Amino acid sequence: MLTSATLCALFPLLSLAHADVVARFEDVPECMRYFYQGKVPEWGAATPGVVRLCQRFVNRYHFATLYDTNQRIAVYSAYRFQPSNGGGREKQWFVEPQLVNLTWQAEMKAAYWLSKDHPGVYLGERQALNEDYTNSGFDRGHLNPNGHHAVPSRNATFTLTNVVPQNHKLNQNAWRIYESHLTNLFQASCSHSYVLVGAVPSEDNWIVKNNVKRVNIPDYLWNAYCCVDNNGRPVQSGAATARNTEVNLVEELSLDGLGKFLQQFTNQPMGELFHNNCKA
């Protein structure tokens, strides 16, 4: 018979079994479907303060995020492209309850309503809040774009753990055009498309609120994709980077080229972003 002490010790482990904050993506089969051939990138894994989020909305997962709780921006989001089925933009921004308290609900929730559930509790210690972006001069730039999904996954992209402070001109012009280019490519050439979109944080450039450094303003955005046929065989891959400034330019690269680009920002081995670098 399990004693009450043993049950108390086991409860945190049991409560995390279906949580959106997980110790390893590999422990959640439903979350692993966003990584081609089950390959989780090594990139960013050693970053201090990172957590792994299986992004839950309407009681199911929609994408995965490696999130830096110190910089309060994502290292990357991993998703599978879906043709859009229409639907508008969310009118509210979600936060992750378990980044406040692991015993709270697993599903993302609008900060207003989460505050109502837990009055007096500050929600922004380990994640960005909507007010951080207000009057900041930066867009809430989606990493995993809402336009690459059907409802309800489209709605799930409106969590603040999926956005970074993005230069308005870049977000509304070159980066948006590149996302549209990928939409056309994926629909024309791929049966399934696996995508990673990330940010390279700046050394010391922040959205500051009340003299507190709240959200890191990344120097670069990057994208990588792996397209496969109905048999799971790679048919096309590619990547891109963009400086997060009004230069408003997206540079397209190979996966190898992106790997070399990202390697300059870490002392850790870069590793592959996709299984076998998305090669047949």
Side-chain angles (χ1 to χ4, degrees):
M1 177 181 293
L2 293 176
T3 66
S4 59
T6 302
L7 287 171
C8 288
L10 285 174
F11 179 76
L13 297 176
L14 295 173
S15 68
L16 286 175
H18 298 286
D20 79 359
V21 176
V22 298
R24 300 187 334 131
F25 289 128
E26 291 88 346
D27 295 335
V28 186
E30 301 96 323
C31 202
M32 286 298 292
R33 66 187 300 270
Y34 307 113
F35 300 96
Y36 173 58
Q37 294 283 15
K39 166 66 178 178
V40 176
E42 296 172 24
W43 167 256
T47 303
V50 292
V51 295
R52 291 153 182 83
L53 305 174
C54 295
Q55 302 280 15
R56 182 189 288 269
F57 181 70
V58 291
N59 202 34
R60 66 184 179 88
Y61 296 129
H62 300 272
F63 59 103
T65 301
L66 186 68
Y67 188 74
D68 186 339
T69 61
N70 293 329
Q71 311 284 352
R72 300 186 185 91
I73 59 173
V75 177
Y76 65 74
S77 283
Y79 67 95
R80 289 175 62 174
F81 173 81
Q82 301 170 311
S84 174
N85 59 358
R89 294 174 63 89
E90 269 289 339
K91 296 180 180 179
Q92 57 190 347
W93 287 94
F94 304 118
V95 295
E96 303 300 330
Q98 290 190 346
L99 289 183
V100 185
N101 188 316
L102 274 176
T103 66
W104 290 6
Q105 70 180 64
E107 184 162 316
M108 61 182 71
K109 191 167 186 175
Y112 175 82
W113 295 111
L114 190 62
S115 293
K116 291 290 186 182
D117 293 340
H118 304 279
V121 178
Y122 180 54
L123 306 180
E125 186 65 33
R126 303 178 71 219
Q127 63 188 310
L129 302 177
N130 195 37
E131 52 261 36
D132 292 325
Y133 285 86
T134 303
N135 299 320
S136 69
F138 290 89
D139 285 1
R140 299 164 183 82
H142 280 68
L143 292 181
N144 176 0
N146 69 89
H148 283 191
H149 293 279
V151 173
S153 294
R154 183 182 181 99
N155 307 79
T157 65
F158 287 83
T159 171
L160 288 163
T161 54
N162 180 48
V163 303
V164 300
Q166 190 171 1
N167 178 274
H168 175 76
K169 187 174 182 180
L170 176 65
N171 188 34
Q172 299 300 321
N173 291 275
W175 196 252
R176 177 186 59 81
I177 292 169
Y178 179 69
E179 290 175 341
S180 296
H181 161 70
L182 291 182
T183 296
N184 295 333
L185 171 67
F186 295 159
Q187 291 181 321
S189 305
C190 314
S191 295
H192 303 286
S193 302
Y194 296 83
V195 190
L196 295 165
V197 190
V200 177
S202 61
E203 186 171 334
D204 194 25
N205 191 16
W206 296 77
I207 291 176
V208 178
K209 296 288 181 175
N210 299 318
N211 295 317
V212 175
K213 294 178 179 179
R214 283 292 304 157
V215 187
N216 186 281
I217 301 167
D219 282 339
Y220 291 92
L221 303 181
W222 59 269
N223 172 287
Y225 64 87
C226 177
C227 292
V228 302
D229 62 19
N230 276 325
N231 295 313
R233 292 186 296 241
V235 294
Q236 193 162 350
S237 65
T241 63
R243 186 117 199 188
N244 191 24
T245 68
E246 290 195 357
V247 171
N248 190 36
L249 178 67
V250 173
E251 181 180 359
E252 295 194 49
L253 305 166
S254 65
L255 289 180
D256 287 334
L258 177 62
K260 292 175 182 176
F261 172 81
L262 293 177
Q263 184 65 73
Q264 66 184 309
F265 301 107
T266 180
N267 293 322
Q268 303 292 322
M270 177 62 215
E272 296 176 338
L273 293 175
F274 299 108
H275 171 73
N276 200 30
N277 218 23
C278 193
K279 295 175 182 174

mmCIF file of all heavy atoms in Angstrom, residues 198-237:
data_model
loop_
_atom_site.group_PDB
_atom_site.id
_atom_site.type_symbol
_atom_site.label_atom_id
_atom_site.label_comp_id
_atom_site.label_asym_id
_atom_site.label_seq_id
_atom_site.Cartn_x
_atom_site.Cartn_y
_atom_site.Cartn_z
ATOM 1 N N GLY A 198 13.198 30.382 -34.935
ATOM 2 C CA GLY A 198 13.818 30.796 -33.681
ATOM 3 C C GLY A 198 14.331 32.210 -33.704
ATOM 4 O O GLY A 198 14.214 32.932 -34.702
ATOM 5 N N ALA A 199 14.913 32.596 -32.584
ATOM 6 C CA ALA A 199 15.463 33.939 -32.419
ATOM 7 C C ALA A 199 16.829 33.847 -31.750
ATOM 8 O O ALA A 199 17.047 32.990 -30.891
ATOM 9 C CB ALA A 199 14.524 34.798 -31.557
ATOM 10 N N VAL A 200 17.722 34.723 -32.174
ATOM 11 C CA VAL A 200 19.036 34.845 -31.544
ATOM 12 C C VAL A 200 18.991 36.073 -30.649
ATOM 13 O O VAL A 200 18.860 37.201 -31.141
ATOM 14 C CB VAL A 200 20.152 34.996 -32.588
ATOM 15 C CG1 VAL A 200 21.502 35.198 -31.892
ATOM 16 C CG2 VAL A 200 20.191 33.781 -33.507
ATOM 17 N N PRO A 201 19.055 35.907 -29.329
ATOM 18 C CA PRO A 201 18.922 37.063 -28.440
ATOM 19 C C PRO A 201 20.082 38.026 -28.575
ATOM 20 O O PRO A 201 21.192 37.642 -28.955
ATOM 21 C CB PRO A 201 18.879 36.434 -27.041
ATOM 22 C CG PRO A 201 19.559 35.108 -27.203
ATOM 23 C CD PRO A 201 19.248 34.642 -28.590
ATOM 24 N N SER A 202 19.804 39.288 -28.276
ATOM 25 C CA SER A 202 20.862 40.292 -28.248
ATOM 26 C C SER A 202 21.657 40.160 -26.958
ATOM 27 O O SER A 202 21.215 39.537 -25.988
ATOM 28 C CB SER A 202 20.254 41.693 -28.326
ATOM 29 O OG SER A 202 19.403 41.922 -27.206
ATOM 30 N N GLU A 203 22.836 40.763 -26.950
ATOM 31 C CA GLU A 203 23.666 40.709 -25.755
ATOM 32 C C GLU A 203 23.077 41.558 -24.636
ATOM 33 O O GLU A 203 23.086 41.140 -23.475
ATOM 34 C CB GLU A 203 25.082 41.175 -26.079
ATOM 35 C CG GLU A 203 26.055 41.004 -24.921
ATOM 36 C CD GLU A 203 27.494 41.269 -25.330
ATOM 37 O OE1 GLU A 203 27.810 41.091 -26.519
ATOM 38 O OE2 GLU A 203 28.289 41.659 -24.460
ATOM 39 N N ASP A 204 22.529 42.713 -24.981
ATOM 40 C CA ASP A 204 21.982 43.564 -23.911
ATOM 41 C C ASP A 204 21.057 44.628 -24.489
ATOM 42 O O ASP A 204 21.260 45.822 -24.316
ATOM 43 C CB ASP A 204 23.107 44.223 -23.120
ATOM 44 C CG ASP A 204 22.618 44.830 -21.802
ATOM 45 O OD1 ASP A 204 21.583 44.356 -21.294
ATOM 46 O OD2 ASP A 204 23.269 45.764 -21.302
ATOM 47 N N ASN A 205 20.029 44.174 -25.196
ATOM 48 C CA ASN A 205 19.027 45.076 -25.765
ATOM 49 C C ASN A 205 17.661 44.564 -25.331
ATOM 50 O O ASN A 205 17.290 43.436 -25.664
ATOM 51 C CB ASN A 205 19.152 45.111 -27.288
ATOM 52 C CG ASN A 205 18.318 46.216 -27.921
ATOM 53 O OD1 ASN A 205 17.880 47.139 -27.245
ATOM 54 N ND2 ASN A 205 18.095 46.121 -29.220
ATOM 55 N N TRP A 206 16.935 45.377 -24.582
ATOM 56 C CA TRP A 206 15.732 44.904 -23.895
ATOM 57 C C TRP A 206 14.571 45.875 -24.050
ATOM 58 O O TRP A 206 14.772 47.082 -24.186
ATOM 59 C CB TRP A 206 16.004 44.741 -22.398
ATOM 60 C CG TRP A 206 17.014 43.709 -22.039
ATOM 61 C CD1 TRP A 206 18.379 43.814 -22.138
ATOM 62 C CD2 TRP A 206 16.753 42.407 -21.514
ATOM 63 N NE1 TRP A 206 18.983 42.666 -21.706
ATOM 64 C CE2 TRP A 206 18.013 41.774 -21.312
ATOM 65 C CE3 TRP A 206 15.591 41.710 -21.188
ATOM 66 C CZ2 TRP A 206 18.126 40.480 -20.803
ATOM 67 C CZ3 TRP A 206 15.707 40.427 -20.677
ATOM 68 C CH2 TRP A 206 16.954 39.821 -20.491
ATOM 69 N N ILE A 207 13.369 45.319 -23.967
ATOM 70 C CA ILE A 207 12.203 46.133 -23.626
ATOM 71 C C ILE A 207 12.266 46.353 -22.125
ATOM 72 O O ILE A 207 12.308 45.389 -21.351
ATOM 73 C CB ILE A 207 10.886 45.429 -24.003
ATOM 74 C CG1 ILE A 207 10.728 45.360 -25.524
ATOM 75 C CG2 ILE A 207 9.694 46.154 -23.383
ATOM 76 C CD1 ILE A 207 9.491 44.602 -25.972
ATOM 77 N N VAL A 208 12.312 47.609 -21.724
ATOM 78 C CA VAL A 208 12.439 47.962 -20.305
ATOM 79 C C VAL A 208 11.139 48.576 -19.820
ATOM 80 O O VAL A 208 10.587 49.483 -20.465
ATOM 81 C CB VAL A 208 13.610 48.951 -20.094
ATOM 82 C CG1 VAL A 208 13.705 49.360 -18.629
ATOM 83 C CG2 VAL A 208 14.923 48.323 -20.562
ATOM 84 N N LYS A 209 10.627 48.102 -18.713
ATOM 85 C CA LYS A 209 9.418 48.639 -18.097
ATOM 86 C C LYS A 209 9.720 48.945 -16.627
ATOM 87 O O LYS A 209 10.205 48.080 -15.898
ATOM 88 C CB LYS A 209 8.269 47.631 -18.186
ATOM 89 C CG LYS A 209 7.814 47.323 -19.616
ATOM 90 C CD LYS A 209 7.054 48.484 -20.225
ATOM 91 C CE LYS A 209 6.581 48.147 -21.626
ATOM 92 N NZ LYS A 209 5.748 49.207 -22.212
ATOM 93 N N ASN A 210 9.447 50.186 -16.229
ATOM 94 C CA ASN A 210 9.686 50.608 -14.845
ATOM 95 C C ASN A 210 11.110 50.299 -14.396
ATOM 96 O O ASN A 210 11.341 49.795 -13.296
ATOM 97 C CB ASN A 210 8.675 49.935 -13.905
ATOM 98 C CG ASN A 210 7.246 50.302 -14.236
ATOM 99 O OD1 ASN A 210 6.949 51.454 -14.524
ATOM 100 N ND2 ASN A 210 6.361 49.321 -14.210
ATOM 101 N N ASN A 211 12.055 50.582 -15.303
ATOM 102 C CA ASN A 211 13.495 50.391 -15.044
ATOM 103 C C ASN A 211 13.889 48.929 -14.857
ATOM 104 O O ASN A 211 14.954 48.641 -14.308
ATOM 105 C CB ASN A 211 13.929 51.212 -13.817
ATOM 106 C CG ASN A 211 13.792 52.703 -14.049
ATOM 107 O OD1 ASN A 211 14.146 53.210 -15.118
ATOM 108 N ND2 ASN A 211 13.262 53.409 -13.057
ATOM 109 N N VAL A 212 13.046 48.014 -15.322
ATOM 110 C CA VAL A 212 13.332 46.586 -15.241
ATOM 111 C C VAL A 212 13.469 46.035 -16.659
ATOM 112 O O VAL A 212 12.614 46.286 -17.517
ATOM 113 C CB VAL A 212 12.223 45.827 -14.489
ATOM 114 C CG1 VAL A 212 12.493 44.321 -14.518
ATOM 115 C CG2 VAL A 212 12.107 46.330 -13.057
ATOM 116 N N LYS A 213 14.544 45.283 -16.911
ATOM 117 C CA LYS A 213 14.714 44.628 -18.207
ATOM 118 C C LYS A 213 13.718 43.472 -18.298
ATOM 119 O O LYS A 213 13.849 42.472 -17.607
ATOM 120 C CB LYS A 213 16.142 44.100 -18.364
ATOM 121 C CG LYS A 213 17.200 45.199 -18.429
ATOM 122 C CD LYS A 213 18.601 44.586 -18.533
ATOM 123 C CE LYS A 213 19.660 45.663 -18.623
ATOM 124 N NZ LYS A 213 21.038 45.088 -18.699
ATOM 125 N N ARG A 214 12.751 43.622 -19.176
ATOM 126 C CA ARG A 214 11.677 42.646 -19.209
ATOM 127 C C ARG A 214 11.808 41.611 -20.334
ATOM 128 O O ARG A 214 11.701 40.408 -20.091
ATOM 129 C CB ARG A 214 10.333 43.385 -19.343
ATOM 130 C CG ARG A 214 9.858 44.026 -18.051
ATOM 131 C CD ARG A 214 9.488 42.985 -17.031
ATOM 132 N NE ARG A 214 8.471 42.076 -17.559
ATOM 133 C CZ ARG A 214 8.260 40.840 -17.108
ATOM 134 N NH1 ARG A 214 9.005 40.352 -16.130
ATOM 135 N NH2 ARG A 214 7.324 40.080 -17.630
ATOM 136 N N VAL A 215 12.000 42.068 -21.575
ATOM 137 C CA VAL A 215 12.005 41.139 -22.706
ATOM 138 C C VAL A 215 13.195 41.444 -23.599
ATOM 139 O O VAL A 215 13.369 42.578 -24.057
ATOM 140 C CB VAL A 215 10.704 41.236 -23.533
ATOM 141 C CG1 VAL A 215 10.675 40.141 -24.604
ATOM 142 C CG2 VAL A 215 9.477 41.139 -22.642
ATOM 143 N N ASN A 216 14.016 40.430 -23.861
ATOM 144 C CA ASN A 216 15.164 40.613 -24.733
ATOM 145 C C ASN A 216 14.702 40.888 -26.166
ATOM 146 O O ASN A 216 13.792 40.227 -26.671
ATOM 147 C CB ASN A 216 16.049 39.370 -24.705
ATOM 148 C CG ASN A 216 17.340 39.546 -25.485
ATOM 149 O OD1 ASN A 216 17.357 39.454 -26.709
ATOM 150 N ND2 ASN A 216 18.413 39.804 -24.762
ATOM 151 N N ILE A 217 15.338 41.839 -26.814
ATOM 152 C CA ILE A 217 15.053 42.154 -28.214
ATOM 153 C C ILE A 217 16.077 41.411 -29.062
ATOM 154 O O ILE A 217 17.265 41.748 -29.048
ATOM 155 C CB ILE A 217 15.147 43.663 -28.467
ATOM 156 C CG1 ILE A 217 14.162 44.414 -27.576
ATOM 157 C CG2 ILE A 217 14.883 43.981 -29.948
ATOM 158 C CD1 ILE A 217 14.384 45.914 -27.524
ATOM 159 N N PRO A 218 15.673 40.371 -29.773
ATOM 160 C CA PRO A 218 16.653 39.544 -30.484
ATOM 161 C C PRO A 218 17.339 40.295 -31.616
ATOM 162 O O PRO A 218 16.767 41.187 -32.235
ATOM 163 C CB PRO A 218 15.813 38.380 -31.019
ATOM 164 C CG PRO A 218 14.420 38.901 -31.075
ATOM 165 C CD PRO A 218 14.295 39.885 -29.954
ATOM 166 N N ASP A 219 18.568 39.885 -31.891
ATOM 167 C CA ASP A 219 19.319 40.452 -33.012
ATOM 168 C C ASP A 219 18.881 39.858 -34.342
ATOM 169 O O ASP A 219 18.895 40.541 -35.372
ATOM 170 C CB ASP A 219 20.816 40.201 -32.823
ATOM 171 C CG ASP A 219 21.458 41.146 -31.828
ATOM 172 O OD1 ASP A 219 20.882 42.229 -31.576
ATOM 173 O OD2 ASP A 219 22.539 40.816 -31.308
ATOM 174 N N TYR A 220 18.520 38.569 -34.310
ATOM 175 C CA TYR A 220 18.166 37.873 -35.554
ATOM 176 C C TYR A 220 16.948 36.973 -35.346
ATOM 177 O O TYR A 220 16.724 36.457 -34.249
ATOM 178 C CB TYR A 220 19.316 36.972 -36.032
ATOM 179 C CG TYR A 220 20.537 37.691 -36.521
ATOM 180 C CD1 TYR A 220 21.593 37.976 -35.652
ATOM 181 C CD2 TYR A 220 20.666 38.078 -37.865
ATOM 182 C CE1 TYR A 220 22.736 38.621 -36.100
ATOM 183 C CE2 TYR A 220 21.803 38.733 -38.314
ATOM 184 C CZ TYR A 220 22.831 39.000 -37.436
ATOM 185 O OH TYR A 220 23.962 39.646 -37.884
ATOM 186 N N LEU A 221 16.217 36.759 -36.426
ATOM 187 C CA LEU A 221 15.241 35.685 -36.524
ATOM 188 C C LEU A 221 15.768 34.672 -37.533
ATOM 189 O O LEU A 221 16.508 35.024 -38.459
ATOM 190 C CB LEU A 221 13.882 36.211 -36.991
ATOM 191 C CG LEU A 221 13.240 37.311 -36.157
ATOM 192 C CD1 LEU A 221 11.887 37.692 -36.742
ATOM 193 C CD2 LEU A 221 13.094 36.902 -34.712
ATOM 194 N N TRP A 222 15.392 33.416 -37.354
ATOM 195 C CA TRP A 222 15.797 32.387 -38.311
ATOM 196 C C TRP A 222 14.681 31.377 -38.517
ATOM 197 O O TRP A 222 13.796 31.236 -37.678
ATOM 198 C CB TRP A 222 17.086 31.681 -37.873
ATOM 199 C CG TRP A 222 17.031 30.998 -36.534
ATOM 200 C CD1 TRP A 222 17.363 31.533 -35.326
ATOM 201 C CD2 TRP A 222 16.617 29.654 -36.275
ATOM 202 N NE1 TRP A 222 17.189 30.606 -34.328
ATOM 203 C CE2 TRP A 222 16.748 29.445 -34.890
ATOM 204 C CE3 TRP A 222 16.181 28.600 -37.086
ATOM 205 C CZ2 TRP A 222 16.411 28.226 -34.288
ATOM 206 C CZ3 TRP A 222 15.855 27.381 -36.486
ATOM 207 C CH2 TRP A 222 15.983 27.212 -35.101
ATOM 208 N N ASN A 223 14.738 30.725 -39.658
ATOM 209 C CA ASN A 223 13.724 29.743 -40.033
ATOM 210 C C ASN A 223 14.418 28.557 -40.689
ATOM 211 O O ASN A 223 15.419 28.730 -41.394
ATOM 212 C CB ASN A 223 12.730 30.382 -41.020
ATOM 213 C CG ASN A 223 11.742 29.394 -41.612
ATOM 214 O OD1 ASN A 223 12.103 28.579 -42.449
ATOM 215 N ND2 ASN A 223 10.502 29.493 -41.209
ATOM 216 N N ALA A 224 13.914 27.355 -40.457
ATOM 217 C CA ALA A 224 14.423 26.159 -41.119
ATOM 218 C C ALA A 224 13.251 25.232 -41.402
ATOM 219 O O ALA A 224 12.336 25.118 -40.577
ATOM 220 C CB ALA A 224 15.456 25.449 -40.243
ATOM 221 N N TYR A 225 13.267 24.574 -42.578
ATOM 222 C CA TYR A 225 12.165 23.675 -42.896
ATOM 223 C C TYR A 225 12.666 22.412 -43.577
ATOM 224 O O TYR A 225 13.717 22.393 -44.224
ATOM 225 C CB TYR A 225 11.113 24.369 -43.771
ATOM 226 C CG TYR A 225 11.604 24.785 -45.143
ATOM 227 C CD1 TYR A 225 11.557 23.907 -46.230
ATOM 228 C CD2 TYR A 225 12.094 26.068 -45.359
ATOM 229 C CE1 TYR A 225 11.998 24.282 -47.485
ATOM 230 C CE2 TYR A 225 12.539 26.456 -46.614
ATOM 231 C CZ TYR A 225 12.481 25.565 -47.671
ATOM 232 O OH TYR A 225 12.927 25.936 -48.917
ATOM 233 N N CYS A 226 11.877 21.361 -43.407
ATOM 234 C CA CYS A 226 12.142 20.062 -44.014
ATOM 235 C C CYS A 226 10.828 19.532 -44.574
ATOM 236 O O CYS A 226 9.890 19.277 -43.813
ATOM 237 C CB CYS A 226 12.723 19.092 -42.985
ATOM 238 S SG CYS A 226 13.009 17.410 -43.596
ATOM 239 N N CYS A 227 10.751 19.397 -45.897
ATOM 240 C CA CYS A 227 9.541 18.916 -46.563
ATOM 241 C C CYS A 227 9.709 17.460 -46.961
ATOM 242 O O CYS A 227 10.758 17.080 -47.485
ATOM 243 C CB CYS A 227 9.266 19.732 -47.821
ATOM 244 S SG CYS A 227 8.814 21.428 -47.499
ATOM 245 N N VAL A 228 8.665 16.672 -46.754
ATOM 246 C CA VAL A 228 8.737 15.247 -47.075
ATOM 247 C C VAL A 228 7.535 14.834 -47.904
ATOM 248 O O VAL A 228 6.497 15.517 -47.932
ATOM 249 C CB VAL A 228 8.822 14.395 -45.792
ATOM 250 C CG1 VAL A 228 10.021 14.798 -44.951
ATOM 251 C CG2 VAL A 228 7.535 14.510 -44.966
ATOM 252 N N ASP A 229 7.671 13.684 -48.590
ATOM 253 C CA ASP A 229 6.554 13.160 -49.371
ATOM 254 C C ASP A 229 5.678 12.277 -48.493
ATOM 255 O O ASP A 229 5.885 12.180 -47.274
ATOM 256 C CB ASP A 229 7.062 12.416 -50.612
ATOM 257 C CG ASP A 229 7.920 11.186 -50.272
ATOM 258 O OD1 ASP A 229 7.847 10.690 -49.122
ATOM 259 O OD2 ASP A 229 8.654 10.720 -51.155
ATOM 260 N N ASN A 230 4.707 11.613 -49.115
ATOM 261 C CA ASN A 230 3.764 10.796 -48.350
ATOM 262 C C ASN A 230 4.423 9.622 -47.650
ATOM 263 O O ASN A 230 3.870 9.070 -46.697
ATOM 264 C CB ASN A 230 2.656 10.279 -49.270
ATOM 265 C CG ASN A 230 1.544 11.290 -49.438
ATOM 266 O OD1 ASN A 230 1.217 12.017 -48.506
ATOM 267 N ND2 ASN A 230 0.969 11.352 -50.634
ATOM 268 N N ASN A 231 5.610 9.237 -48.121
ATOM 269 C CA ASN A 231 6.346 8.139 -47.494
ATOM 270 C C ASN A 231 7.367 8.628 -46.474
ATOM 271 O O ASN A 231 8.155 7.836 -45.963
ATOM 272 C CB ASN A 231 7.057 7.313 -48.570
ATOM 273 C CG ASN A 231 6.082 6.613 -49.493
ATOM 274 O OD1 ASN A 231 5.117 5.999 -49.040
ATOM 275 N ND2 ASN A 231 6.309 6.717 -50.804
ATOM 276 N N GLY A 232 7.339 9.940 -46.188
ATOM 277 C CA GLY A 232 8.253 10.494 -45.207
ATOM 278 C C GLY A 232 9.641 10.751 -45.728
ATOM 279 O O GLY A 232 10.551 11.026 -44.940
ATOM 280 N N ARG A 233 9.828 10.654 -47.057
ATOM 281 C CA ARG A 233 11.150 10.899 -47.639
ATOM 282 C C ARG A 233 11.340 12.390 -47.918
ATOM 283 O O ARG A 233 10.446 13.019 -48.497
ATOM 284 C CB ARG A 233 11.321 10.105 -48.942
ATOM 285 C CG ARG A 233 11.377 8.597 -48.742
ATOM 286 C CD ARG A 233 11.697 7.905 -50.039
ATOM 287 N NE ARG A 233 10.627 8.136 -51.009
ATOM 288 C CZ ARG A 233 9.884 7.169 -51.557
ATOM 289 N NH1 ARG A 233 10.090 5.915 -51.229
ATOM 290 N NH2 ARG A 233 8.950 7.460 -52.436
ATOM 291 N N PRO A 234 12.472 12.949 -47.537
ATOM 292 C CA PRO A 234 12.712 14.376 -47.774
ATOM 293 C C PRO A 234 12.700 14.710 -49.264
ATOM 294 O O PRO A 234 13.265 13.974 -50.082
ATOM 295 C CB PRO A 234 14.105 14.605 -47.181
ATOM 296 C CG PRO A 234 14.302 13.501 -46.194
ATOM 297 C CD PRO A 234 13.578 12.327 -46.778
ATOM 298 N N VAL A 235 12.041 15.808 -49.599
ATOM 299 C CA VAL A 235 12.008 16.271 -50.988
ATOM 300 C C VAL A 235 12.578 17.679 -51.139
ATOM 301 O O VAL A 235 12.990 18.063 -52.227
ATOM 302 C CB VAL A 235 10.575 16.232 -51.565
ATOM 303 C CG1 VAL A 235 10.074 14.801 -51.663
ATOM 304 C CG2 VAL A 235 9.619 17.080 -50.733
ATOM 305 N N GLN A 236 12.606 18.428 -50.060
ATOM 306 C CA GLN A 236 13.144 19.786 -50.145
ATOM 307 C C GLN A 236 13.424 20.304 -48.733
ATOM 308 O O GLN A 236 12.768 19.919 -47.763
ATOM 309 C CB GLN A 236 12.158 20.719 -50.847
ATOM 310 C CG GLN A 236 12.741 22.057 -51.247
ATOM 311 C CD GLN A 236 11.901 22.761 -52.308
ATOM 312 O OE1 GLN A 236 10.989 22.177 -52.873
ATOM 313 N NE2 GLN A 236 12.216 24.011 -52.576
ATOM 314 N N SER A 237 14.413 21.167 -48.625
ATOM 315 C CA SER A 237 14.724 21.798 -47.342
ATOM 316 C C SER A 237 15.269 23.189 -47.609
ATOM 317 O O SER A 237 15.651 23.526 -48.741
ATOM 318 C CB SER A 237 15.749 20.971 -46.554
ATOM 319 O OG SER A 237 16.998 20.940 -47.243
#
